[in-house]
Amino acid sequence: MTTNRMLVMSVVLVAGLATHARGYAVGPAVGLAELGKTAALVVKATVVADAPVTDPWFEPLPGFAPRDAQLRIVSVLKGATKATTIHFHHYAHAPLPPNSGMSYEPQSYELAVGKTYVVFAAAGEHGTYRQLDKSETMKPDQGVIAAGDARPVRAKAIADAVFDELRLALASRRDDDAIAAIVQLDELSGGRGQNLADFARPASLALIAPLIASPSTPVATAAIAVFGLDSPYFVDADAPYWLAGIGKGTIAGLGPRKPPATPAADAAKAELDTVAVNGKVPAVRALAIRALARSHPGDARILAWWGDADLGIRAATVLATAERPDHSLIEQASTAAEPSLRHAAALAIGFSQDPGLVGRLDRLLDDGTPAVAEAAAMSLLAFAIGEARPVLTAKLHSDYRALFINALARTDARPYLAELAEVIEKQLEPKLWWGGAIPSSDSWAILFAYVASVPRAELGKLTASLDALEKMKWFGSSEPQKLYALYLRRGMVPRAKAFRAAIKKSSPYDMDVYFDMVDKRPETYVP
């Protein structure tokens, strides 16, 4: 990992922006209005006690346990209760049992005694209340929001009351309270990939913008992130997703991201520029420059930042020139002595989509710093095949051989049948790689599509390709079904029977049921 990447990721993580990733489907976030309809009670309340609890509604889950938070009510926003305190049951993190791991994470909350929250609650048993749902959403803290103070609310509408609480929390002397408010305002107005519109986006951005100049590095970082996360240049670890959306090539298996026509940074250009020029903390200045990149800072700014002694600032400047006509700084950085600058150049080449810079990726692919070569590989794959082919072909000996073979074969597999077979049989993949489609699986799909497209008379000449397709280390039933169906549809019954028998011996699960489905309607699987 380059110094530049470590710098950006570390400050982003400080702001609580770690990527939300699970090995299972997670539902979309739900807005305050919908939560209010579902909830039996919505209150602003202070936690006065917290203890473990037994509640049959809460299923036993490794790493989580139900808690009973005793809440002293400050204001009731929805519902009717004469109680001054209520008991709110919720999941919270708990120690994992020995030799176990979390397989599923429910919606959960970490409530602190003495702190005040806006709580959306469902009716529980025996006069208690509980969290609204067990299932986690893309907003892990959905249903509980830290309040700005412990005074009664004035607003009548739930959304207005929450907005007022977050506005107050922004001024907190505690960094974690201010950061939590920044994140809530951002998410509830549609930021961070959330499809929420509880607050008007301009109003949220206007509240957050002054905190870009906060003397607290974590708070300033969180504020800048609001205006930078919709930009390809802000977090290096997200680069392959942006390149998949910006480029004309294929970065297989990743959801493409496209930047909005109007970047959020346009709403805080003055604040970002002030920090980028006069900020006291180099890491924060670098983030401000990255956030400003799509707002096209002027030449004087670019030259001043490029001349800075801090490598993070210089790397940010390289990225900031990707959309500008002049790519001379990218060219300079591509041969710089510092790996962080070469890394920035490798990414900037892909973001620029300038065919004149593709040749520079040839040298960067041989870089002694693995992260630089990785950045060069993903940028190369982002270019249209006609622009990338010379370098892809020249670098088939590189660690990215499997990905480059797939890129070359994607539009015309015939010249690369042997190479595709090699990737499948040897399960080739890079040592350092951003992820996405497993290369051998991608090769299998490309090779199968080609084989399925040729006339029956030519299949006899493709024995090596068919052998390779049969040697795939299967991840499921669909590929064997397709290959079996192909044999049946092309009249290769003996080969179909032999393949089915071989799979029956090697597969860890019973494939007969899947092959029987193909026998009934092979045309469903192969035209």
Side-chain angles (χ1 to χ4, degrees), residues 466-467 470-471 474 480 483-485 487-488 491-507 511-512 515 519:
L466 297 176
D467 290 345
E470 292 184 11
K471 292 176 184 176
W474 312 107
L483 188 55
Y484 181 64
Y487 291 153
L488 294 180
M492 303 171 70
V493 177
R495 182 145 193 160
K497 290 181 178 180
F499 174 59
R500 178 168 180 164
I503 290 294
K504 188 170 184 177
K505 291 180 180 179
S506 63
S507 176
M511 277 292 299
D512 278 341
F515 287 137
D519 285 336

Side-chain angles (χ1 to χ4, degrees), residues 14 21-22 26 38 80 129 137 147 182 226 239 250-251 290 304 310 356 378 410 416 435 437 443 484 491 513:
V14 165
R22 296 286 183 264
V26 175
T38 305
Y129 293 88
T137 71
I182 289 170
V226 171
T250 300
I251 298 181
R290 284 171 174 261
D310 184 79
M378 69 176 76
R410 202 174 304 280
Y416 301 100
S443 294
Y484 181 64
V513 63

Side-chain angles (χ1 to χ4, degrees), residues 48-84:
V48 295
D50 177 71
V53 70
T54 298
D55 185 329
W57 186 84
F58 293 85
E59 304 167 21
L61 291 171
F64 296 89
R67 305 284 298 185
D68 173 17
Q70 187 175 348
L71 306 179
R72 183 176 64 241
I73 295 176
V74 176
S75 297
V76 177
L77 297 171
K78 180 194 173 183
T81 179
K82 296 180 180 179
T84 57

Side-chain angles (χ1 to χ4, degrees), residues 404-421:
F404 293 173
I405 287 170
N406 290 342
L408 290 164
R410 202 174 304 280
T411 54
D412 184 9
R414 189 176 185 88
Y416 301 100
L417 300 183
E419 288 81 2
L420 291 168

Side-chain angles (χ1 to χ4, degrees), residues 348-389:
I349 289 171
F351 290 136
S352 75
Q353 286 294 288
D354 181 354
L357 296 175
V358 173
R360 291 184 174 271
L361 295 174
D362 189 310
R363 176 175 174 174
L364 292 169
L365 281 163
D366 292 330
D367 198 277
T369 300
V372 174
E374 180 195 28
M378 69 176 76
S379 280
L380 181 61
L381 291 169
F383 280 92
I385 188 62
E387 297 164 349
R389 181 178 284 109

Side-chain angles (χ1 to χ4, degrees), residues 113-365:
V113 174
K115 290 198 68 171
T116 303
Y117 303 88
V118 175
V119 177
F120 294 74
E125 295 184 347
H126 312 299
T128 64
Y129 293 88
R130 59 167 172 78
Q131 65 187 67
L132 293 179
D133 203 347
K134 295 175 187 174
S135 300
E136 186 183 23
T137 71
M138 291 301 292
K139 188 168 168 40
D141 57 0
Q142 180 175 281
V144 174
I145 299 170
D149 60 24
R151 293 175 294 183
V153 300
R154 295 182 178 181
K156 301 298 183 183
I158 291 174
D160 291 341
V162 171
F163 188 82
D164 288 344
E165 295 299 328
L166 296 176
R167 177 176 51 79
L168 291 170
L170 287 178
S172 172
R173 295 180 180 179
R174 291 175 53 90
D175 284 357
D176 56 349
D177 289 342
I179 291 169
I182 289 170
V183 173
Q184 292 284 6
L185 284 166
D186 192 16
E187 291 181 338
L188 292 171
S189 61
R192 297 169 198 256
Q194 303 286 7
N195 188 26
L196 299 175
D198 292 291
F199 307 146
R201 186 70 174 159
S204 289
L205 296 181
L207 280 180
I208 295 168
L211 293 178
I212 289 171
S214 170
S216 164
T217 294
V219 172
T221 296
I224 293 170
V226 171
F227 300 93
L229 283 173
D230 66 352
S231 167
Y233 313 114
F234 198 69
V235 180
D236 288 354
D238 289 345
Y241 300 92
W242 291 111
L243 288 168
I246 292 170
K248 302 178 184 67
T250 300
I251 298 181
L254 295 183
R257 294 184 190 174
K258 290 185 178 291
T262 302
D266 281 2
K269 285 180 71 172
E271 293 87 348
L272 289 167
D273 188 70
T274 296
V275 171
V277 174
N278 300 315
K280 304 298 183 185
V281 180
V284 176
R285 289 184 61 204
L287 281 181
I289 293 168
R290 284 171 174 261
L292 277 171
R294 295 197 64 238
S295 298
H296 305 293
D299 293 338
R301 291 281 189 258
I302 294 292
L303 291 175
W305 292 331
W306 176 244
D308 198 276
D310 184 79
L311 286 176
I313 291 173
R314 297 184 71 197
T317 306
V318 173
L319 291 167
T321 67
E323 295 181 26
R324 295 168 61 87
D326 182 3
H327 292 151
S328 58
L329 290 190
I330 298 176
E331 294 174 348
Q332 291 181 52
S334 71
T335 58
E338 300 84 1
S340 61
L341 297 184
R342 299 197 303 275
H343 183 268
L347 292 180
I349 289 171
F351 290 136
S352 75
Q353 286 294 288
D354 181 354
L357 296 175
V358 173
R360 291 184 174 271
L361 295 174
D362 189 310
R363 176 175 174 174
L364 292 169
L365 281 163

